[in-house]
Amino acid sequence: MSSNILAIESSCDETSASVISDGKILNNIVATQSVHEKYGGVVPELASRAHQQHLIPVVAEALKSAGIAKTELDAIAFTRGPGLMGALLVGVSFAKSFAYALDKPIIEVNHMEAHVLAHFIDAPKPSFPFICLTVSGGHSQLVLVKTALTMEVLGETKDDAVGEAFDKIAKILGLPYPGGPHLDKLAAKGDPLAYPFPVSEMKGLSFSFSGIKTAVLYFLKENIKKDPDFIANNLEDICASVQYTLIKMLMQKLVKATKKQGIKEVAIAGGVSANSGLRYTIAEAAKKYRWNVYLPKLEYCTDNAAMVAMAAHYKYQAGMFTDLNVSPLAKLKIGNHG
């Protein structure tokens, strides 16, 4: 089935629109929100207001650059969840209204499934089945991907996501928001074995990242008592040690999952997949375990509508449409195709 689909992503603090035509992504328009920087984190109400301001210009640009008139669209897709409720509400409401006005069907997309399917935007593409480690500011999951529409969560975090741990520790260290990328740059210059931090032990394939955040906090308090300039004098080593520990926790579970499933096709998705330390460690593990590793382009790692469009493409082909009674869900599990 040939198709032109407009996709909208508004789950957190990026307003994005993308057009996909017959499975090919034509563009990926993203409006970022700088309003949150002075608060050191995303403020949900401000995010919702920014989505309202950005959405129409972003959609207009996506249609214009794709060279597709709104009447030529075959469906409108949107992120239903998970995400910030107010932010999701803006995208879902717009998509429903736009589709109703055009008399076009709508396709709901799970944000986490979209992250996984970002791997099918460009070659090389993983073969089914594969294991995807999805790591972002809000989620840390190990997903068994059987088909584009059949996924199973093997393990996930029981508290903080790894991206949240990166950002919170960066904030403790006085780094600007978002802290993860700043911590990554400093870590590249430091000694990853300078300071040993505890690795949380969880049953099975579950993760826990709240413990290291607390451990770092107490570690810094103790050392600042002895040396008020401890952070400034050892910043690169602290960042490297924190990053090393967080990546070690991710890799232990990923290796365990691949062995348990007998799978050597491994994909990494989500905002933290842009982390240079993680990318290097994955590349080294690929040699050791003979994995085939897949990483999306950096623009498809963070929240974006291109990944939503790709997920919508598969649902369109399967005739998986939803009705206008659909509402956003802040918590939406993988596999829920309501």
Side-chain angles (χ1 to χ4, degrees), residues 125-323:
K125 301 172 184 178
S127 301
F128 298 110
F130 66 92
I131 287 176
C132 186
L133 173 65
T134 309
V135 278
S136 67
H139 300 86
S140 298
Q141 294 181 331
L142 277 166
V143 183
L144 173 60
V145 188
K146 300 171 186 176
T147 72
L149 297 171
T150 313
M151 303 181 195
E152 176 190 346
V153 177
L154 300 175
E156 58 189 335
T157 183
K158 297 299 181 185
D159 41 57
D160 288 357
V162 68
E164 189 178 357
F166 269 115
D167 285 340
K168 285 182 176 177
I169 292 171
K171 190 173 183 179
I172 292 168
L173 292 170
L175 301 179
Y177 174 84
H182 292 285
L183 191 149
D184 183 20
K185 285 178 185 174
L186 290 163
K189 302 171 187 174
D191 177 4
L193 302 178
Y195 306 109
F197 293 112
V199 172
S200 300
E201 292 295 334
M202 299 290 285
K203 287 183 180 180
L205 296 172
S206 296
F207 300 100
S208 172
F209 296 105
S210 62
I212 184 173
K213 180 185 63 182
T214 307
V216 170
L217 184 63
Y218 284 117
F219 165 80
L220 293 174
K221 280 185 176 178
E222 286 299 312
N223 282 280
I224 288 168
K225 282 180 187 175
K226 304 170 195 171
D227 174 12
D229 298 320
F230 177 76
I231 292 177
N233 294 336
N234 302 278
L235 186 57
E236 291 170 354
D237 285 348
I238 297 167
C239 289
S241 300
V242 166
Q243 181 156 294
Y244 172 81
T245 307
L246 289 170
I247 292 171
K248 183 178 179 181
M249 289 160 72
L250 291 172
M251 293 304 298
Q252 283 180 345
K253 299 295 183 177
L254 178 58
V255 170
K256 191 173 181 180
T258 58
K259 288 180 177 178
K260 188 175 180 181
Q261 296 295 327
I263 290 174
K264 292 190 179 293
E265 294 281 299
V266 176
I268 317 294
V272 180
S273 66
N275 179 278
S276 65
L278 178 58
R279 287 186 169 231
Y280 173 79
T281 307
I282 286 285
E284 291 299 299
K287 296 174 194 172
K288 181 177 180 180
Y289 301 107
R290 297 183 180 178
W291 292 342
N292 295 318
V293 170
Y294 303 89
L295 291 155
K297 284 183 182 176
L298 292 177
E299 69 174 299
Y300 303 135
C301 290
T302 51
D303 295 346
N304 66 91
M307 67 182 194
V308 178
M310 185 52 67
H313 165 73
Y314 288 108
K315 297 186 90 168
Y316 184 91
Q317 296 295 316
M320 297 173 71
F321 303 105
T322 190
D323 61 44

